[in-house]
Structure formats: structure tokens, C-alpha cells
Amino acid sequence: DLIRLFVKRDFVAIYKQTILGPIWYLARPLITAFTYTVVFGYALKLDYGEIPRPVFFLAGIVPWSYFHTAVTSTSNSFITNMSIFGKVYFPRLVIPISSIISNLISFTIQLCLFFIFVAYYIYAGYPVQVTQYAFLFPVLVLVMMSSAFGIGLLTASSSAKYRDLIYLIGFGISLMMYLTPVIYPLEMVPEQFREWMYLNPMTAVIEGTRLGFLGDSSFTWSMLGTGLI
């Protein structure tokens, strides 16, 4: 019950005094996908194969947006709620768990947007197809959530004493995006460096999502196994 109350608090507080409210959940991935399409798809002319660029980017932006936000909010959860800890006792894990779940709400909304784009491109006759690997998606979501929870919890417990970690994790997560196939296909990475990217759990999540809902990806079972570990 306490987790439910914290989730409701986090969800309502973010957009309580905004005009567009939850529409921002949809606006951010749309604007980001449009920017990536113009910059990387047309200006730099990177090769994305036959997959339409907007849906290719959304397949990476939606999971990564959750991971980035969940890690950041979980890392700050102990510091931002320190005043509550001094007033009453409750299990400390309630705070980071509620942070992980509340971010899952925005992820679900953005995921519906991604599914709408997939359905449109399939209906329009583009080479986009939903494969049997789509049934693997719940496992990918668990990998995404547990990775964000683990990294965020380690940082949260340490940053209570060493505040420098808050700045370090924010900077590190931003750099980590470039080591994740969000804005480029994994096959563009040279073979000798590709296996190192398997150590990043979000590589399996994003590549698995593209294979399941777009039908084209470099996803392998060893990649998923490394991500699970």
C-alpha cells in the first residue's frame, strides 16, 4: 500500500502544474525521434537498411528513456526523501521500488506510441513485421527494470555519504547512451568491439525489441544471456 501511494505521488507531482500534463510523455520521444531522423538519417545519411527511420529510433528511444530516467530517479531517491526517513520508520527499499514502478507508467504510454507507429508502417506496406520474438519482450522489460534498479540502488546507497556519485552517474548514463545502439544499428559497430557492447544490458533490450517488432536486428541469445547476468 505504501508503494502504491509513493507511485501515485511521483506520477502526479511531475506534471501537476503543467499545461500539457501527461502529453509530455508522448511529446519527448516524438521530438527526439524526429531530431534523430533529420540529423542521423538525412544529414549524416547513416545506413539503417529498409526499416523506416522514425520507428527504428523509437525502438531505441522508448526503452532507453525509461532506463535513463529510472536510474537517475532511483539514484536520487534516498537524498530527496531524507526528511521522510527521519520522521517514521518504513522499509527503505519502498522508495527506490516505487521510483522504478512510477517510471514504468510513462514507459507504457510511450510504448503504446511505438506500437501505433509499427502498426502504421505495417499497414502502409513498409518492410516492418512483428516476429515470434515479440513474445520475448516481457523478459526484456524485466532485464531493463532490474538493470535500472540495480545501478540506481547501488548509487543511492553510496551517494547518501558521497554526493559526488550523483553527478558521476548522471554524466555516466549520458555517455552510456553512445555505447548503446539507440541511434545506430549494432551491425555498424566493428566486430572486435561488438562483444564488449554485450556487457551493456540495454543492448539486448533494444536489439531484442527491434527484432520482435520490426523484424530486423543483430540480436543473439548470448547477448541476452550477458544482459541477464
Side-chain angles (χ1 to χ4, degrees), residues 38 69 109 117 121 133 135 137 140 148 173 179 183 187 193 224:
V38 172
T69 307
I109 296 174
F117 270 75
Y121 282 113
Y133 289 94
F135 293 105
F137 188 67
L140 301 177
I173 290 296
L179 301 176
I183 58 179
E187 53 263 24
F193 301 113
L224 178 61

Side-chain angles (χ1 to χ4, degrees), residues 7-210:
V7 169
K8 182 179 179 181
R9 180 202 66 172
D10 293 341
F11 181 75
V12 172
I14 295 176
Y15 297 110
K16 187 176 182 180
Q17 293 182 320
T18 60
I19 297 176
L20 297 180
I23 295 179
W24 283 112
Y25 286 132
L26 302 177
R28 286 188 298 178
L30 279 176
I31 294 173
T32 306
F34 174 77
T35 304
Y36 287 169
T37 299
V38 172
V39 175
F40 298 102
Y42 294 103
L44 299 181
K45 296 182 180 180
L46 297 182
D47 184 16
Y48 295 97
E50 297 181 349
I51 300 297
R53 294 175 179 84
V55 76
F56 174 90
F57 288 126
L58 280 176
I61 291 170
V62 173
W64 179 258
S65 177
Y66 171 86
F67 179 78
H68 182 277
T69 307
V71 169
T72 304
S73 60
T74 305
S75 299
N76 295 325
S77 59
F78 286 169
I79 294 177
T80 55
N81 293 277
M82 192 172 294
S83 59
I84 303 177
F85 292 151
K87 294 179 180 179
V88 63
Y89 173 77
F90 59 93
R92 299 296 187 249
L93 280 177
V94 166
I95 296 292
I97 289 176
S98 63
S99 179
I100 290 294
I101 296 176
S102 62
N103 283 289
L104 195 63
I105 299 175
S106 61
F107 171 74
T108 303
I109 296 174
Q110 294 175 357
L111 191 64
C112 292
L113 175 67
F114 170 66
F115 289 156
I116 291 174
F117 270 75
V118 171
Y120 166 76
Y121 282 113
I122 292 176
Y123 177 78
Y126 286 85
V128 174
Q129 60 177 343
V130 179
T131 67
Q132 68 271 21
Y133 289 94
F135 293 105
L136 190 64
F137 188 67
V139 177
L140 301 177
V141 172
L142 288 176
V143 173
M144 176 184 69
M145 293 177 63
S146 59
S147 300
F149 181 71
I151 297 174
L153 191 62
L154 285 172
T155 309
S157 58
S158 302
S159 62
K161 185 175 182 180
Y162 305 104
R163 299 297 176 89
D164 293 346
L165 290 175
I166 294 296
Y167 303 102
L168 181 63
I169 195 66
F171 179 68
I173 290 296
S174 298
L175 289 180
M176 186 178 172
M177 192 192 78
Y178 297 101
L179 301 176
T180 308
V182 176
I183 58 179
Y184 55 85
L186 187 60
E187 53 263 24
M188 291 184 62
V189 179
E191 189 69 31
Q192 63 268 28
F193 301 113
R194 195 174 301 176
E195 292 188 0
W196 287 100
M197 295 186 65
Y198 292 179
L199 298 175
N200 179 357
M202 289 304 295
T203 297
V205 173
I206 293 176
E207 288 296 315
T209 301
R210 285 174 178 152

